[in-house]
């Protein structure tokens, strides 16, 4: 009887230690990912600062023959991209409740919205009357939107990986760090675009 009781206590202790280890591992991974996002923020902030300095000090800011940027389509793309942050949040909530069908549907919707944004940006680029070498403005515009577009594409790939992992039995039973990190990255991408939209399109 005592032996059975000791075995039960040992099993409980092992289970408790295992849970603590998994929790600490996820916390450390999350901290590392936040540090990564902060480093990305510094890169974007340096680009923002450069854009503001050049815009306020360059005499012939816009390329020859260009009076400004069209705002209607980029505004629609902005609404789509920013709204996708709420959609991926809903996907996370479904995963928390272990409802994989809802998680998959809303994650797919997020991917579709991100893809819509990228396609819209590609169409905008195709219709522009200036290129990367069209003065400081041209270079800065393509650098900023292109670098951000690369992050959007990366976010869509990460979401695709998370979606694929949802079809592995029991994959999300031990934790949701992957989708948590992916969601944080997506929110980061959206916030960066809001700043870009203000700098590039509203401040003309």
């Amino acid at each position: 009887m005592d032996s059975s009781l000791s075995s039960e206590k040992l099993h409980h202790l092992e289970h408790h230690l295992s849970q603590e280890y998994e929790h600490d591992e996820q916390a450390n991974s999350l901290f590392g990912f936040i540090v990564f996002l902060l480093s990305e923020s510094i890169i974007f902030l340096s680009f923002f600062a450069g854009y503001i300095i050049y815009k306020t000090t360059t005499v012939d800011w816009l390329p020859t023959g260009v009076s400004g940027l069209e705002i209607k389509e980029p505004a629609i793309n902005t609404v789509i991209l920013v709204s996708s942050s709420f959609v991926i949040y809903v996907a996370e909530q479904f995963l928390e409740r272990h409802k994989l069908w809802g998680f998959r549907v809303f994650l797919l919707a997020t991917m579709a919205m991100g893809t819509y944004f990228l396609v819209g940006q590609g169409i905008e680029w195709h219709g522009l009357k200036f290129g990367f070498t069209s003065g400081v403005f041209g270079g800065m515009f393509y650098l900023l939107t292109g670098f951000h577009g690369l992050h959007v594409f990366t976010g869509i790939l990460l979401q695709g990986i998370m979606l694929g992992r949802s079809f592995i039995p029991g994959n999300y039973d031990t934790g949701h760090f992957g989708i948590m990190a992916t969601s944080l990255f997506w929110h980061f991408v959206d916030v960066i675009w809001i700043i870009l939209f203000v700098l590039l399109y509203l401040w003309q």
Side-chain angles (χ1 to χ4, degrees):
M1 188 176 187
D2 291 340
S3 176
S4 175
L5 186 61
S6 298
S7 177
E8 185 178 343
K9 286 183 177 179
L10 182 61
H11 177 73
H12 177 73
L13 179 61
E14 288 177 346
H15 179 69
H16 178 70
L17 290 175
S18 175
Q19 284 186 324
E20 282 192 347
Y21 174 77
E22 289 175 359
H23 175 74
D24 290 342
E25 188 177 28
Q26 285 197 11
N28 291 336
S29 298
L30 184 60
F31 175 76
F33 191 75
I34 291 174
V35 171
F36 164 73
L37 289 182
L38 289 174
S39 66
E40 289 288 290
S41 299
I42 293 173
I43 296 174
F44 274 107
L45 285 174
S46 65
F47 286 160
F48 297 158
Y51 180 86
I52 293 170
I53 291 171
Y54 279 125
K55 181 175 174 60
T56 54
T57 57
T58 304
V59 178
D60 297 320
W61 174 242
L62 294 175
T64 304
V66 177
S67 58
L69 296 171
E70 172 63 38
I71 194 173
K72 181 181 177 181
E73 293 302 324
I76 294 174
N77 288 340
T78 300
V79 172
I80 296 294
L81 187 65
V82 173
S83 298
S84 68
S85 268
F86 298 97
V87 178
I88 199 172
Y89 172 76
V90 174
E92 281 189 279
Q93 295 306 303
F94 271 104
L95 187 60
E96 288 288 340
R97 301 188 188 99
H98 304 287
K99 295 181 179 179
L100 288 177
W101 66 268
F103 169 70
R104 291 165 183 158
V105 167
F106 281 92
L107 195 60
L108 267 174
T110 307
M111 293 172 65
M113 295 168 85
T115 303
Y116 180 94
F117 175 85
L118 284 182
V119 171
Q121 189 171 74
I123 293 173
E124 181 192 12
W125 278 14
H126 182 72
L128 291 174
K129 297 178 181 179
F130 59 90
F132 185 78
T133 57
S134 301
V136 180
F137 174 77
M140 291 297 293
F141 176 84
Y142 282 100
L143 175 65
L144 288 169
T145 56
F147 192 53
H148 175 266
L150 178 63
H151 281 71
V152 174
F153 181 71
T154 302
I156 295 172
L157 286 181
L158 290 174
Q159 291 167 33
I161 294 172
M162 295 302 106
L163 180 64
R165 290 179 62 183
S166 72
F167 292 96
I168 302 174
N171 180 75
Y172 288 115
D173 290 348
T174 56
H176 305 153
F177 169 73
I179 187 60
M180 187 187 305
T182 299
S183 181
L184 278 175
F185 183 81
W186 197 248
H187 296 320
F188 168 78
V189 166
D190 286 358
V191 170
I192 291 297
W193 179 252
I194 291 173
I195 299 173
L196 279 177
F197 183 74
V198 171
L199 289 177
L200 296 173
Y201 297 95
L202 298 185
W203 185 32
Q204 293 193 54

